[in-house]
């Protein structure tokens, strides 16, 4: 079978320690991959580039929350009901397939089943029983008395469930953004697209909270003339950010700002701009939580346009869901010029009754009751606390009307979420930078990774294995490492071979120490892309690398 670029990239990735299937000695598992030594470095470099833009350009706050997530959280967020794929089963071999992969128009599935026109791609058997399956990995927390949980399908919910604390941390001012990098999980039905469709994957997400009345962005005016590469499902076109917003192609400044950040990060990370576009979701493909969504798509020769980043306006959906399900005050406040006097009802617990009944929990439960809003008639007052529901009897509280000063009006903030699939981006970066070169009748691979992304910044070679040269080379290698510059020391094979080994893993420079070095204290610096060589003072090497971008 002729190899396509996917096969070639995957072979190189395995051979040189970028990425390879996990647990291969036991047959491997579709959708699980290891990052090897170079892959881990490459991934760190992309994640740090991403952090640079979100933390330093956009002042987001970074947090880390558990990958194990309570059932209640994902029930409230809609994932228990909605995070599903329509699936069919094979009558003969019992394998299951995503309907989306089997038939173009999902809505015609029932008819196709009736007509018996659907054939199992593996054994040719009849496909039956279309049904939605939930894609979350279920688990339990604890032994004996357990709580249901899932491995998280996105990092976002960990941010939403702490919103009230983060809002306080941000001194109750909107907008502010919170970011999280980490693993997400999706029990894919039958993944066959390598690193494009993984069951455990790395995500980088930002949740940026806005007042729904104001989705402007403070940095917009600085970058409004930047051109975005857009696609509206009919044609590809380019617009400045300012035009895109004023013509209503993109709903608001904030959305367009995060599209700009995304485009910049990806192109700096090594994505080929000709293989990049933002595609707008049609109304019928929006996720259950989204109001408007743009995907950053990267072109792959085997897979076509691949969705790698989703930038969605999730509106008030998630925080509203968690307020309703958890009864926690997660509102934001729009402050009045001067406080207003308002009357409302409050529950006042009688601690002489409640205290003996609830013992050491009484204080915490009183605090929850004090925070509660009373609307309408109270039937059964139950308070959720530490996974239990506490029924508060009618004789244990009064409902009183109180006058209070109100400092402002409460509202649910809106969320704009740029969500990055790190593994897909990394695969596309490898594919976009993979080149085959004929050299002296030998074919030769090169990864033209940008300096910032390259796992190794320079090779360090003594021209020959002679102690006078190896000793200087080793010293250069050590000095560069101490400056935080990743190196690869190599003294075996011809210089041509050593260059080739470095080109293949995207190393932008190689340093060679030769006999002239002993006299002039200079080395030969070879540039991967131009193949040019120049002589540089040994002492000037750390600065040379620090100046690279
Ligand atoms: Zn079958």
């Amino acid at each position: 079978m002729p190899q396509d670029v996917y096969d070639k990239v995957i072979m190189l990735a395995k051979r040189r320690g970028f990425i390879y299937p996990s647990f291969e000695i036991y047959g491997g598992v579709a959708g699980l991959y290891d990052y090897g030594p170079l892959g881990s470095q490459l991934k760190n470099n992309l994640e740090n580039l991403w952090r640079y833009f979100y933390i330093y350009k956009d002042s987001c706050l970074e947090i880390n929350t558990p990958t194990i997530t309570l059932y209640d959280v994902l029930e409230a967020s809609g994932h228990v009901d909605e995070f599903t794929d329509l699936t069919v089963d094979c009558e003969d071999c019992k394998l299951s397939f995503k309907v989306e992969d089997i038939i173009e128009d999902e809505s015609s599935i029932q008819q196709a089943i009736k007509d018996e026109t659907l054939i199992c791609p593996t054994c040719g058997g009849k496909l039956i029983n279309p049904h939605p399956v939930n894609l979350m990995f279920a688990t339990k927390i604890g032994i004996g008395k357990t709580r249901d949980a899932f491995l998280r399908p996105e990092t976002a919910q960990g941010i939403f469930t702490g919103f009230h604390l983060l809002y306080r941390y941000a001194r109750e001012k909107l907008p502010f953004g919170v970011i999280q990098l980490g693993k997400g999980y999706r029990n894919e039905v039958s993944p066959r697209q390598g690193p494009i469709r993984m069951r455990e994957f790395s995500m980088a997400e930002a949740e940026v909270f806005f007042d729904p009345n104001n989705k402007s962005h403070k940095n917009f005016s600085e970058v409004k003339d930047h051109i975005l590469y857009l696609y509206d499902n009919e044609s590809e076109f380019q617009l400045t950010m300012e035009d895109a917003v004023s013509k209503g192609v993109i709903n608001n400044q904030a959305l367009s700002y995060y599209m700009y950040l995304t485009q910049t990060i990806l192109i700096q990370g090594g994505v080929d701009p000709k293989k990049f576009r933002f595609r707008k979701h049609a109304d019928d493909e929006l996720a259950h939580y989204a109001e408007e969504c743009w995907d950053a798509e990267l072109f792959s020769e085997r897979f076509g346009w691949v969705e790698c980043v989703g930038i969605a306006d999730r509106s008030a959906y998630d925080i509203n869901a968690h307020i309703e399900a958890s009864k926690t005050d997660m509102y934001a406040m729009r402050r009045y010029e001067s406080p207003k006097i308002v009357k409302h009802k409050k529950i006042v617990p009688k601690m002489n009754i409640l205290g003996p009944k609830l013992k050491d929990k009484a204080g915490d439960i009183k605090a929850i009751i004090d925070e509660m809003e009373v609307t309408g008639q109270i039937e059964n007052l139950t308070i959720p606390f530490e996974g239990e529901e506490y029924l508060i009897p009618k004789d244990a509280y009064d409902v009183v009307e109180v006058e209070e000063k109100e400092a402002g009006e409460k509202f649910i903030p809106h969320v704009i979420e740029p969500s990055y699939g790190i593994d897909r981006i990394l695969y596309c970066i490898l594919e976009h930078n993979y080149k085959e070169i004929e050299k002296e009748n030998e074919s030769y691979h090169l990864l033209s990774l940008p300096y910032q992304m390259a796992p190794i910044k320079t090779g360090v070679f003594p021209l020959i294995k002679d102690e006078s040269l190896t000793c200087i080379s080793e010293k250069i290698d050590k000095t560069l490492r101490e400056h935080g510059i990743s190196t690869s020391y190599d003294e075996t094979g011809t210089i041509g071979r050593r260059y080739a080994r470095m080109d293949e893993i995207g190393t932008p420079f190689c340093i060679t120490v030769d006999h002239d070095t002993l006299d002039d204290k200079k080395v030969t610096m070879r540039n991967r892309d131009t193949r040019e060589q120049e002589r540089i003072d040994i002492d000037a090497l750390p600065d040379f690398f620090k100046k690279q971008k």
Side-chain angles (χ1 to χ4, degrees), residues 90 92-94 97 120 122-125:
C90 172
D92 296 334
C93 73
K94 310 293 176 205
F97 301 92
C120 170
T122 308
C123 78

Side-chain angles (χ1 to χ4, degrees), residues 316-328:
Y317 178 87
D318 298 274
I319 296 191
N320 184 48
H322 290 302
I323 290 175
E324 286 188 358
S326 74
K327 312 280 184 259
T328 306

